[in-house]
Structure formats: C-alpha cells, structure tokens
Amino acid sequence: MKKLVTKAKVMHILFLIVGVLLLGSCKNDRKSTTKNEESSKIEESIVEKEFLVGSWKDTSKSALHFTIFKNGTARSDNMKTLLYKNWKVKGNQITFTIESLGNGTSSIDTVTYIIEKLTKDKLILRKGTYLSEYTKK
C-alpha cells in the first residue's frame, strides 16, 4: 500500500512538472517581439532616401549614368537601350524597374541592388560580388 501511495505522489509531481514546463514554453516573449519591431524600424530607416535623389555618374568604363527623382521615377541619362523607369527602397536595398530595348523587342524587368555605401555625393551598389560606384553630378 505504501508503494502505491508513493507511486501516486510521484505521478502527481511528474504531471505538475510537465504542466509547468508546457506553460512556460507557451509564454509570449515580449522582449523578443519588441526587439523584432525595433529591428524592423531600423531596417526601414537604414537609407537616407533624400541622398539618393539626384543624378549619378558611373565611375567605371561602362559610364552608365542615371537620375533618381523624388517622386519614385528614374531616368537613364546616357543609355539608349536600358531605360530606368522607377525605383523603391526597402531596408538597404534599392530596386529599379528597367526597360531593355533590343532589336525590335523590349522587356521590362526589376533589378535589386544592396546599397553598400550612401553619402550625399557617393553611392556604391552591390549585386552579388559585383560593385558599382557612382558620384553625384
């Protein structure tokens, strides 16, 4: 009889421990949620969009110059077959909508770059391992 009572007490304690562990694992971690919200806000404000507005001169041999306008549109300054249409920024990425004109055909595509560096007069974009450097005109 004594063994049966001891087993019952052990079972009750075991159920109690399992219940407490289960309840603890369901807890909503407000600190984590708050950190995620702050991180998201920081990601949205990484880039000073005002610095992007203006004409940018490609410093490479390609010399692919373009202009970014405040209203979200963009323009190719010296490219006749690759036309920049518009742009948007999210976090540290800039996405351009471009139109490629070829031999009697055209296609519209989007291209996304990582903004590696942005100051009021310098812009460095990265796509994969390729870096493009620009200076403001």
Side-chain angles (χ1 to χ4, degrees):
M1 182 77 172
K2 210 174 194 183
K3 284 185 178 183
L4 188 60
V5 172
T6 305
K7 278 187 179 180
K9 285 182 180 179
V10 168
M11 290 300 285
H12 280 42
I13 292 171
L14 236 134
F15 280 121
L16 182 63
I17 290 171
V18 169
V20 168
L21 289 174
L22 285 174
L23 284 174
S25 69
C26 294
K27 171 179 113 171
N28 183 5
D29 189 1
R30 283 298 294 159
K31 288 181 182 176
S32 176
T33 304
T34 304
K35 284 181 183 176
N36 289 342
E37 290 170 0
E38 288 172 5
S39 173
S40 177
K41 287 177 187 174
I42 290 169
E43 183 177 304
E44 288 298 319
S45 64
I46 287 174
V47 174
E48 291 289 338
K49 291 181 183 178
E50 294 81 28
F51 285 176
L52 285 168
V53 174
S55 294
W56 292 97
K57 182 179 176 184
D58 184 354
T59 59
S60 74
K61 290 181 183 179
S62 301
L64 304 175
H65 311 319
F66 61 91
T67 300
I68 294 176
F69 298 99
K70 192 174 189 171
N71 67 0
T73 61
R75 175 186 75 211
S76 304
D77 292 341
N78 64 341
M79 298 175 274
K80 302 216 185 290
T81 60
L82 187 64
L83 307 176
Y84 283 56
K85 297 293 186 179
N86 57 49
W87 65 281
K88 64 181 176 181
V89 170
K90 184 172 183 179
N92 67 337
Q93 297 182 341
I94 185 166
T95 301
F96 291 101
T97 301
I98 56 170
E99 182 177 5
S100 179
L101 304 174
N103 296 331
T105 65
S106 71
S107 62
I108 295 182
D109 200 4
T110 58
V111 180
T112 301
Y113 297 93
I114 302 294
I115 300 171
E116 289 290 322
K117 182 175 183 175
L118 175 63
T119 65
K120 60 184 177 181
D121 57 356
K122 186 171 187 169
L123 173 63
I124 299 176
L125 301 177
R126 178 174 53 88
K127 178 117 177 109
T129 59
Y130 182 75
L131 290 177
S132 302
E133 292 190 32
Y134 301 89
T135 57
K136 197 158 252 179
K137 291 184 183 179

